[in-house]
Amino acid sequence: IDGSAPPGAKEAQAVAARTNLYKTMEEAQCNQADDLGIEYDSLSEMKNRWGEEFSQIYQSYEAAVSATAGEVLTCDGQLIDALFHEASAGNTRTMGEEYPWLVSVESDDQLCDGYLTVTDFSPEKFAEAVNAVDGARQVSAEEIAGKIQIINRADGAYVTAVQVDQQIFSGEEMAAALQLNSTAFSFEADSERVRVICTGIGHGWGLSQTGA
């Protein structure tokens, strides 16, 4: 979470991070976090990133960790997957009965840098991107505007299924193919270009760091 975030947001992130660390250790039957081989920034890398603000920001993270010492998130006595993302598309997402802690809540994240992106593709570039999806049948760029349709969304903005020609792609497949920030997207297409409007950053499940 960003170094300028308020204390409460950093505390929430500390609890999520601790929960995920302990869950990973539990699953790996490991008693020492260092044995997991998890990569993390060194002090010198942090100093380079934060410059003159290093001491202040580092101390704020230490304070968040200390304030939440020993706190983890559980459901029915089991450590959860404490998911988080940078910015939701107006609300977070519900994952389903197997993950009852992941429910949709409103989150106004529009002030996040990169929250809204607009990308134009030529018909040829759009078809090329779609055709690169694993298992995709080749789609022609000819009259592509009439071949694109979003057929399902979840939790408001998040796309779960897109039809291109006669093929169905998941929202995640389409977002990856077009290199979008999230699955909350829409299309404006004509004979000259396919415009993709995308909101939010990340998968949308769990804690929104910007919202926090």
Side-chain angles (χ1 to χ4, degrees):
I1 200 164
D2 189 81
S4 63
K10 291 177 181 175
E11 291 172 13
Q13 185 71 68
V15 174
R18 184 183 296 112
T19 300
N20 289 334
L21 175 62
Y22 286 7
K23 183 174 176 62
T24 301
M25 292 173 63
E26 183 180 85
E27 291 174 345
Q29 298 182 336
C30 174
N31 294 322
Q32 297 293 328
D34 288 344
D35 294 337
L36 293 173
I38 297 175
E39 295 184 5
Y40 54 88
D41 291 345
S42 65
L43 284 176
S44 62
E45 289 172 325
M46 296 179 197
K47 289 178 180 178
N48 288 335
R49 181 185 307 123
W50 296 325
E52 295 179 356
E53 297 181 314
F54 166 76
S55 294
Q56 178 182 350
I57 294 175
Y58 189 84
Q59 288 172 10
S60 72
Y61 284 121
E62 283 190 317
V65 172
S66 297
T68 61
E71 294 182 12
V72 293
L73 297 166
T74 64
C75 182
D76 295 331
Q78 301 296 316
L79 293 166
I80 69 168
D81 291 316
L83 302 183
F84 54 89
H85 57 284
E86 187 169 346
S88 74
N91 55 270
T92 63
R93 303 178 66 181
T94 297
M95 185 170 277
E97 294 181 359
E98 294 184 16
Y99 301 87
W101 59 89
L102 293 176
V103 296
S104 180
V105 297
E106 292 184 3
S107 186
D108 185 4
D109 300 346
Q110 295 183 28
L111 296 181
C112 178
D113 289 341
Y115 173 83
L116 173 66
T117 58
V118 179
T119 309
D120 286 344
F121 296 85
S122 68
E124 292 75 19
K125 287 295 184 183
F126 184 86
E128 180 181 332
V130 171
N131 289 336
V133 176
D134 286 345
R137 300 188 303 274
Q138 295 301 293
V139 174
S140 170
E142 186 177 355
E143 298 181 351
I144 194 73
K147 300 175 182 178
I148 306 169
Q149 182 180 6
I150 293 174
I151 58 177
N152 198 43
R153 294 183 184 269
D155 299 308
Y158 297 96
V159 175
T160 58
V162 181
Q163 182 172 332
V164 181
D165 204 356
Q166 299 301 312
Q167 300 180 75
I168 306 297
F169 300 93
S170 70
E172 286 76 13
E173 287 176 326
M174 187 60 63
L178 302 178
Q179 299 182 3
L180 305 177
N181 286 339
S182 81
T183 60
F185 56 81
S186 59
F187 298 105
E188 294 178 359
D190 56 33
S191 60
E192 297 182 355
R193 59 105 173 100
V194 178
R195 173 164 289 177
V196 186
I197 301 97
C198 182
T199 55
I201 305 174
H203 49 60
W205 283 295
L207 173 73
S208 166
Q209 293 174 318
T210 299

